[in-house]
Amino acid sequence: MYKMILASTALFFTQMVLADSPSKAIKQSELVVAEDINWGYLNPLRGDKSPGAANLWGDRTKNSATGMLVRFKPGFSSPAHIHNISYRGIVIKGLMHNDDPSAEMDWMPTGSFWTQPAGQNHITAAKAETNLIYLEIGEGPYLVKPSKEQFNNGEHSLNLHADNMVWLTSDELTSLDSKKVSLSPLWQKQNQQGVLVKLDAGFNGQLTSEVGSLRAVVISGELSYRSVEQSEEKRLEPGSYFSSAAGFKHQLTTKRGAIVYLRFNNTLQISEQ
């Protein structure tokens, strides 16, 4: 199994060749700083009893793929429920539990990953003072339904604790030429993939995807960000988001290190300066 993952991951990277700068006439990128996010409710009908939610891209109320932030109050525990669609979750802050209602509590810290199949009965709980996740769906709308409507869609749930992540480095991947970059593959579907990328302290380089869109969410640590469309350096805290069309270059530096979730099509390039 490990060899299969390694072989597949090697395809994520090509030689570190940078694309031409995108046209300045049409905006090619988007940047959302965590402190500027406008929050609403995941379930507006429940008001402040509902977790907070904010779309980073897409629209969770429509039939479209969406990436959103969801935040939970300390001690939050949902009733047993299902969703009409499957989703992926990554813990940004706090301690989260997501499992069958009868399962023993298994608290997942920052950097943990889970999947929740459509129709599967479960609960979601939060333990820490501050609890924040990135939640991603491949279609919408995102709805909460009662347990009595549960069904089996053929998928299996996954809870991957941060301590159990497998990080691949340049020692395993000949396509990685930087000792300050490692990655952990999370999912792959047709020509789309999702990975966590760890940038060690002192990393200074560029990130781009040659084919299709690139979406990135800061999971932990800190990044300094620049691009041809963002000449003023921006500090990106966990929960910040940036995206781009094919060939656009993102300039990233980090003094203390960072982990970033990347969703992209086909090839990805990370080059160190």
Side-chain angles (χ1 to χ4, degrees):
M1 182 64 179
Y2 178 79
K3 291 183 179 178
M4 291 176 65
I5 293 175
L6 180 58
S8 174
T9 306
L11 296 178
F12 294 172
F13 292 85
T14 61
Q15 293 181 344
M16 307 306 180
V17 179
L18 298 178
D20 294 333
S21 297
S23 170
K24 293 183 180 180
I26 301 175
K27 191 169 178 61
Q28 298 287 306
S29 68
E30 182 180 8
L31 175 65
V32 179
V33 180
E35 62 186 15
D36 295 334
I37 290 173
N38 294 318
W39 288 91
Y41 292 115
L42 191 62
N43 184 352
L45 294 178
R46 297 190 66 200
D48 60 7
K49 294 182 180 179
S50 167
N55 292 338
L56 294 179
W57 59 275
D59 186 340
R60 64 184 182 275
T61 67
K62 298 180 180 179
N63 185 18
S64 66
T66 304
M68 67 186 95
L69 297 179
V70 183
R71 61 185 181 186
F72 304 85
K73 294 180 179 179
F76 173 86
S77 184
S78 73
H81 64 282
I82 70 164
H83 297 285
N84 60 312
I85 45 86
S86 300
Y87 77 82
R88 308 178 187 101
I90 302 175
V91 183
I92 298 177
K93 295 180 181 179
L95 293 168
M96 298 296 304
H97 169 81
N98 191 87
D99 212 330
D100 185 90
S102 62
E104 182 179 350
M105 288 294 189
D106 184 14
W107 298 106
M108 295 185 290
T110 298
S112 299
F113 171 75
W114 81 84
T115 63
Q116 181 58 54
Q120 187 179 87
N121 195 34
H122 66 286
I123 66 167
T124 302
K127 188 178 182 179
E129 190 65 27
T130 301
N131 304 279
L132 178 67
I133 70 168
Y134 172 70
L135 191 155
E136 186 174 88
I137 58 177
E139 58 183 345
Y142 177 90
L143 301 176
V144 178
K145 296 190 173 184
S147 298
K148 64 181 181 181
E149 297 185 26
Q150 63 187 286
F151 59 91
N152 185 354
N153 76 339
E155 298 176 5
H156 298 281
S157 60
L158 170 69
N159 286 334
L160 184 56
H161 192 283
D163 290 346
N164 293 327
M165 289 285 176
V166 175
W167 293 98
L168 305 176
T169 68
S170 57
D171 293 332
E172 291 89 15
L173 297 175
T174 56
S175 54
L176 278 179
D177 64 355
S178 174
K179 296 291 185 180
K180 293 183 179 180
V181 180
S182 54
L183 67 91
S184 183
L186 299 179
W187 63 273
Q188 183 171 355
K189 187 174 182 179
Q190 297 177 341
N191 66 337
Q192 290 193 326
Q193 302 151 42
V195 301
L196 288 179
V197 170
K198 183 187 295 183
L199 305 175
D200 292 343
F203 175 83
N204 179 14
Q206 290 182 327
L207 167 67
T208 188
S209 177
E210 294 297 334
V211 180
S213 63
L214 170 69
R215 303 186 187 278
V217 181
V218 181
I219 302 301
S220 66
E222 52 78 26
L223 284 176
S224 294
Y225 177 93
R226 288 180 183 271
S227 75
V228 68
E229 295 181 348
Q230 178 61 53
S231 58
E232 180 184 353
E233 186 174 271
K234 288 286 187 178
R235 179 181 173 86
L236 304 187
E237 299 287 349
S240 298
Y241 164 79
F242 58 90
S243 66
S244 62
F248 189 89
K249 296 188 287 288
H250 305 272
Q251 181 69 40
L252 307 176
T253 60
T254 177
K255 294 181 180 179
R256 298 185 290 113
I259 294 178
V260 183
Y261 170 73
L262 300 178
R263 174 192 173 108
F264 58 96
N265 299 80
N266 298 309
T267 58
L268 178 74
Q269 292 86 43
I270 303 176
S271 61
E272 187 177 3
Q273 294 183 338

